């Protein structure tokens, strides 16, 4: 059961052809005249992007790019866990776990990997229900369970001590790893942590000018941009039919988030991450059918979090070991407010950047790589 099996992405040509046929047969909706992104993805934009996905995008080239990295699968707690394992030529390299979020995948780290392998052995898992880790059953929205699974993965790879980095859901997994295995995690680095989306608005009083901008962005998101989360966290199965049946709906569902959450200076998603990177990520969701299962994982995660918040004060506080050192990187599109993210003042490194956003490894891999290297270098014995 602990076997680690080699893996290659080999999407059948029939599936690639079927995608193109479905894209060509799209039944387009009516768009209300004079509207734009405030109502969702505009029809002219999605029509043009779909045409490129159908006729210009080269899946085989992107598949080969992913397959250039060693990939494996192992089964943990009944769940197949896919991962990239890119070893450094440096014999003193630190094992580093890179954990993606939603609506992302291992594709997010393709441009980051070559910037880190001089100092780190990289382990990049596909989270259960995302991309190349098809969901085996319920319960994988529980991030404690996910953290336990990736800790077991590191054990199987022979990494007793390791560093961890992540954003979005990945940041939650990284934080729980530090809580569950403080003796194994040498340090944590997360990007873009945000206030609880269903919580109260952020009050601007007492905030710095930069924090006020991020607070305003969060409050706007809380009022106008939370529809996707409300739907996934309450009715994922209803959404699943559209995501499983229509590649254009899967494209719109993800492209909207790339437009809203990337660097504010980028007018369109591909201005921030590149069109082929965006479509590689979307294609991975489409070919594996994990747009639907990722929605179920979000549902379970939000239910677990609400239950945790409702009962958090019921039990007597238990003594916890000292957590490993943690760092936070905040990019231009983020909504991170330090006193909300780090109320106890335990973060040892807090860095703010003037570009990039939610998908930092895709948008600003140079900034993220440098911050990761500097932080973990500071933890090594001198």
């Amino acid at each position: 059961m602990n076997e680690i099996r080699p893996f290659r992405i080999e999407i059948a040509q029939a599936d690639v052809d079927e995608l193109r046929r479905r894209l060509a047969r799209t039944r387009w909706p009516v768009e209300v005249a004079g509207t734009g992104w405030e109502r969702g993805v505009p029809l002219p934009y999605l029509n043009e992007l779909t045409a490129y996905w159908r006729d210009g995008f080269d899946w085989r080239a992107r598949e080969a790019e992913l397959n250039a990295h060693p990939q494996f699968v192992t089964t943990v707690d009944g769940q197949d866990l896919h991962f990239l394992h890119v070893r450094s030529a440096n014999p003193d390299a630190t094992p580093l776990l890179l954990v993606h979020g939603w609506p992302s995948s291992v594709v997010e780290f393709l441009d980051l990997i070559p910037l880190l392998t001089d100092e780190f052995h990289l382990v990049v898992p596909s989270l259960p229900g995302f991309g190349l880790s098809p969901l085996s059953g319920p319960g994988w929205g529980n991030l404690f369970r996910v953290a336990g699974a990736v800790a077991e993965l590191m054990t199987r790879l022979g990494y007793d001590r390791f560093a961890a980095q992540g954003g979005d859901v990945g940041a939650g997994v990284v934080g729980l790893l530090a809580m569950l295995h403080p003796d194994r995690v040498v340090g944590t680095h997360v990007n873009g942590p945000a206030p609880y989306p269903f919580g109260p608005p952020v009050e601007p009083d007492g905030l710095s000018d930069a924090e006020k901008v991020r607070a305003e962005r969060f409050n706007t998101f809380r009022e106008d941009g939370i529809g996707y989360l409300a739907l996934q966290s309450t009715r994922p199965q209803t959404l699943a039919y559209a995501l499983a049946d229509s590649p254009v709906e899967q494209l719109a569902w993800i492209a909207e988030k790339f437009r809203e959450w990337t660097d504010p200076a980028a007018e369109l998603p591909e201005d921030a991450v590149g069109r082929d990177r965006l479509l590689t990520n979307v294609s991975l969701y489409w070919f594996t059918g994990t747009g639907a299962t990722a929605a179920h994982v979000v549902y379970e995660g939000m239910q677990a979090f609400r239950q945790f918040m409702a009962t958090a004060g019921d039990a007597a506080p238990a003594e916890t070991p000292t957590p490993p050192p943690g760092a936070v990187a905040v990019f231009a599109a983020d909504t991170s407010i330090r006193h909300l993210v780090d109320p106890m003042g335990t973060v040892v490194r807090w860095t703010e950047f003037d570009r990039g956003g939610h998908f930092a490894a895709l948008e600003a891999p140079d900034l993220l790589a440098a911050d990761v290297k500097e932080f973990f270098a500071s933890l090594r014995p001198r």
Side-chain angles (χ1 to χ4, degrees):
M1 286 296 292
N2 293 353
E3 179 189 11
I4 293 177
R5 310 180 295 277
F7 181 87
R8 280 181 61 83
I9 305 170
E10 295 177 329
I11 301 301
Q13 186 59 42
D15 292 339
V16 177
D17 295 341
E18 174 63 14
L19 169 60
R20 292 198 177 105
R21 283 194 292 269
R22 283 175 176 264
L23 293 173
R25 295 197 306 265
T26 300
R27 185 184 182 194
W28 294 100
V30 172
E31 183 175 61
V32 177
T35 62
W37 284 94
E38 75 278 358
R39 297 199 184 195
V41 184
L43 179 59
Y45 171 74
L46 197 64
N47 196 313
E48 195 274 332
L49 186 58
T50 297
Y52 177 77
W53 194 13
R54 183 186 66 233
D55 300 324
F57 176 70
D58 186 347
W59 165 254
R60 291 302 179 201
R62 306 285 73 81
E63 184 181 68
E65 184 180 17
L66 283 161
N67 282 333
H69 298 297
Q71 298 176 74
F72 305 88
V73 173
T74 192
T75 304
V76 182
D77 192 15
Q79 169 67 47
D80 280 353
L81 199 61
H82 162 269
F83 61 98
L84 311 181
H85 186 199
V86 186
R87 292 185 60 85
S88 172
N90 177 1
D92 298 321
T94 300
L96 174 62
L97 184 69
L98 297 175
V99 192
H100 69 79
W102 183 90
S104 195
S105 65
V106 295
V107 171
E108 182 170 354
F109 298 110
L110 286 177
D111 296 319
L112 187 67
I113 286 171
L115 302 180
L116 293 177
T117 48
D118 56 337
E119 296 185 20
F120 299 98
H121 300 306
L122 301 178
V123 180
V124 190
S126 297
L127 293 178
F130 292 74
L132 297 161
S133 292
L135 199 63
S136 64
W140 286 102
N142 183 336
L143 296 190
F144 283 97
R145 188 181 185 191
V146 177
V150 294
E152 172 61 21
L153 169 61
M154 298 304 276
T155 298
R156 293 181 187 182
L157 293 174
Y159 296 138
D160 182 54
R161 297 267 290 162
F162 57 90
Q165 198 285 327
D168 191 73
V169 176
V173 173
V174 166
L176 290 178
L177 273 170
M179 181 189 303
L180 296 172
H181 301 282
D183 56 327
R184 298 187 62 193
V185 178
V186 300
T188 62
H189 184 288
V190 300
N191 55 278
Y196 178 51
F198 292 121
V202 176
E203 294 295 332
D205 293 346
L207 300 181
S208 68
D209 290 344
E211 287 177 330
K212 286 178 181 177
V213 171
R214 293 197 288 272
E216 182 179 355
R217 186 180 296 120
F218 171 77
N219 291 340
T220 299
F221 161 75
R222 181 181 167 276
E223 292 295 326
D224 301 329
I226 207 169
Y228 80 96
L229 186 56
L231 184 54
Q232 290 190 128
S233 63
T234 57
R235 297 294 184 270
Q237 186 60 33
T238 302
L239 172 65
Y241 301 111
L243 295 178
D245 187 62
S246 170
V248 169
E249 172 57 21
Q250 181 66 85
L251 175 60
W253 192 245
I254 291 179
E256 180 187 89
K257 299 303 117 191
F258 272 75
R259 198 265 179 173
E260 292 181 347
W261 297 349
T262 50
D263 192 320
E267 182 179 354
L268 296 173
E270 57 263 41
D271 296 333
V273 303
R275 181 172 283 194
D276 281 0
R277 279 285 184 264
L278 171 64
L279 290 174
T280 303
N281 185 59
V282 175
S283 297
L284 203 58
Y285 274 86
W286 172 256
F287 287 131
T288 59
T290 51
T293 56
H296 280 281
V297 170
V298 172
Y299 169 86
E300 292 178 355
M302 292 303 296
Q303 299 302 314
F305 184 76
R306 286 171 173 146
Q307 184 177 11
F308 172 79
M309 293 299 290
T311 60
D314 294 346
E319 275 197 37
T320 57
T322 302
V328 171
V330 181
F331 293 84
D334 291 333
T335 59
S336 309
I337 309 295
R338 183 160 190 172
H339 77 272
L340 298 177
V341 171
D342 182 31
M344 304 302 293
T346 57
V347 171
V348 301
R349 179 185 175 94
W350 180 281
T351 314
E352 299 182 6
F353 298 104
D354 59 4
R355 59 183 170 94
H358 184 79
F359 307 96
L362 276 174
E363 298 180 67
D366 56 331
L367 298 181
L368 182 58
D371 203 56
V372 167
K373 286 182 176 183
E374 289 175 12
F375 171 62
F376 288 112
S378 73
L379 304 183
R380 297 187 188 111
R382 297 187 182 277

